[in-house]
Amino acid sequence: ETVGLYNECKCDFWSRRCEDTLGLGEACDYAAEYCCGDYRYEYDAGFETFNFLNSPQCYCDFYNYAENKFAHKLKPKALNVEKEFTSPCGPFKTYWLSKSVVEKKKS
C-alpha cells in the first residue's frame, strides 16, 4: 500500500510540535509523514518493509531526531499498521553515492 501524504501546511504545523514537544515523539510521526511524503508498506510471507519513495533522507533526519531527542521510534500514522518504521538511513546513501561516482566517471 502506498500513502501520498506531503502537505506543506500540515508539515509546518507538525514539525513545530515535533521540535517543541516535551518528551513526546509522536508529533514527529506526523511531521515525518507530512514533510517527507510518500512511503509504501509491504508485507509478504512474514517479511515487512517500508519503502520511502519521495525522500529517504528526510525520513532519516526525522528518524534520527526523534530517536536522539525523545528515544522515540517513528511509527506510521496514515496506515493502520502497528509497527515502527524501519530505519530509512543507510541503503539509500550507498545507492546515491555509487550513482554519483558512476556519473562522475562518465563525464
Side-chain angles (χ1 to χ4, degrees):
E1 184 173 348
T2 301
V3 180
L5 293 169
Y6 180 78
N7 181 302
E8 188 174 352
C9 182
K10 290 180 180 181
C11 171
D12 291 342
F13 176 84
W14 285 107
S15 60
R16 282 190 300 251
R17 278 36 221 160
C18 176
E19 293 172 356
D20 296 339
T21 304
L22 301 174
L24 299 173
E26 188 175 15
C28 298
D29 296 338
Y30 291 102
E33 289 186 333
Y34 290 125
C35 296
C36 302
D38 296 354
Y39 64 87
R40 180 181 318 141
Y41 173 74
E42 296 176 316
Y43 180 83
D44 186 22
F47 182 72
E48 301 171 324
T49 187
F50 287 95
N51 297 305
F52 304 93
L53 306 173
N54 287 58
S55 181
Q57 181 62 55
C58 179
Y59 275 102
C60 180
D61 292 343
F62 274 103
Y63 185 88
N64 287 333
Y65 179 81
E67 189 172 75
N68 293 334
K69 182 155 184 165
F70 306 112
H72 176 77
K73 299 281 188 186
L74 289 182
K75 297 176 184 75
K77 294 299 185 181
L79 297 176
N80 190 18
V81 178
E82 293 296 322
K83 302 288 177 190
E84 297 172 349
F85 278 124
T86 53
S87 176
C89 308
F92 72 90
K93 292 179 185 175
T94 304
Y95 168 75
W96 288 113
L97 177 61
S98 62
K99 183 177 177 184
S100 65
V101 169
V102 170
E103 288 174 357
K104 286 180 185 178
K105 286 182 180 180
K106 287 180 182 178
S107 1

